[in-house]
Amino acid sequence: MNAAAIRRCLEGSGLRCTPQRYAVMAFLAECNRHPTAAEIFDAVNRMDPRSSRATTYNNLRDLVQAGLVREVAVEGRAARFDAKGMRHHHFICDRCGNVEDVEWYDVPRPASGTLGKRILRECELIFRGLCTKCAPRHAWR
Amino acid sequence: MNAAAIRRCLEGSGLRCTPQRYAVMAFLAECNRHPTAAEIFDAVNRMDPRSSRATTYNNLRDLVQAGLVREVAVEGRAARFDAKGMRHHHFICDRCGNVEDVEWYDVPRPASGTLGKRILRECELIFRGLCTKCAPRHAWR
DNA sequence: TTTCACATTAGAAATATTCTAAGGTCCTCA
DNA sequence: TGAGGACCTTAGAATATTTCTAATGTGAAA
């Protein structure tokens, strides 16, 4: 996602394209891990040491609300974030806790009646097991 | 899950069945919401006002590690917990954030190659949308 | 140039979770 | 029966994460 696209995203959502917001979006766009707010702040702060932790938190909240960034549903102490690029599922390692992207595929919708009167918007998969670093070699098949 | 079953679970996992652990397990077994650690502590503390917040946190961590309790993968500030009863999926409301159980059904495994060399243990679904309280009435179909 | 709405800042405050040292509990063993 | 030891709890301190607040900054529009 290049600079112009980031700007269009932000302004299309009614948010100003400030240097601080741009830095958060740019970092998330090229980060294929799922960083915590502290990691995002550290990265943004290295680029501009005057930037404030509160601004990074404020911007993350605004970007999530605007639908430009998504908070990843993982366990653990700190929230983790993901750029809203291509849709994908997640794989969470039982041992090291690492969260990895898995390419999207549509999941069959549940039988009618299962969700009752709820309105379904999205159906995300969370895979759990051992990642390639933690899986014993001989177990692969 | 009755008292004897709770005791068997705990001792089968190498953990003593202390009154504090029993209280956490009993609360989660009959709680069909997904309480935070603070909510669990409040409930346990109402039953025994001497019980300590650190004990509840310690016990939750131990119970999760022993596989008797699961931390629910949700966004937001505080961790939420679930008794490891029948397997189920979760529905998270976009508007109110409520987390509800959805009956389990097996999800088709991803195409071979999608997960590479990872070892899959479980595949959980997270549904998102509007819960029955937040969905407009006319939208139901 | 002024105004105004939105944004940032720095540090305080609140919330959530973990740490620590001391003491408690309960079972085993002599 | 009492000692010992492993595990557990406690209370408050400490740390980590997130939000709040009042003051200031920014930039586009008038």
Side-chain angles (χ1 to χ4, degrees), chain A residues 94 100 118 121 128, chain B residues 94 100 118 121 126 128:
Chain A
D94 287 332
E100 295 166 339
R118 301 182 184 100
R121 170 179 63 81
R128 296 170 192 284
Chain B
D94 287 332
E100 295 168 339
R118 301 181 183 101
R121 169 181 63 82
I126 307 257
R128 294 171 194 283

Side-chain angles (χ1 to χ4, degrees), chain B residues 79-94:
Chain B
R80 291 186 171 274
F81 298 89
D82 218 349
K84 259 291 185 53
M86 297 186 58
R87 296 167 88 193
H88 52 268
H89 299 297
H90 289 110
F91 186 100
I92 302 178
C93 181
D94 287 332

Side-chain angles (χ1 to χ4, degrees), chain B residues 25 36 53 55 66 68-69 72 74 88 97-98 100 108 112-113 119 121 125 135 138:
Chain B
M25 296 280 287
T36 63
R53 181 182 309 277
T55 299
L68 303 181
V69 159
V72 183
V74 293
H88 52 268
N98 203 37
E100 295 168 339
S112 86
I119 298 179
R121 169 181 63 82
L125 283 167
H138 67 280

Side-chain angles (χ1 to χ4, degrees), chain A residues 96-110:
Chain A
C96 67
N98 201 35
V99 182
E100 295 166 339
D101 290 343
V102 171
E103 70 186 280
W104 184 268
Y105 64 96
D106 280 330
V107 181
R109 289 181 167 246

Side-chain angles (χ1 to χ4, degrees), chain A residues 33-55:
Chain A
R33 296 180 297 103
H34 303 81
T36 63
E39 289 164 343
I40 296 166
F41 169 66
D42 287 345
V44 164
N45 201 50
R46 270 197 295 281
M47 285 182 267
D48 177 4
R50 287 172 310 156
S51 68
S52 163
R53 181 183 308 277
T55 300

Side-chain angles (χ1 to χ4, degrees), chain B residues 25-41:
Chain B
M25 296 280 287
F27 178 75
L28 284 174
E30 70 189 23
C31 183
N32 51 19
R33 296 177 299 101
H34 303 80
T36 63
E39 289 165 340
I40 296 166
F41 169 65

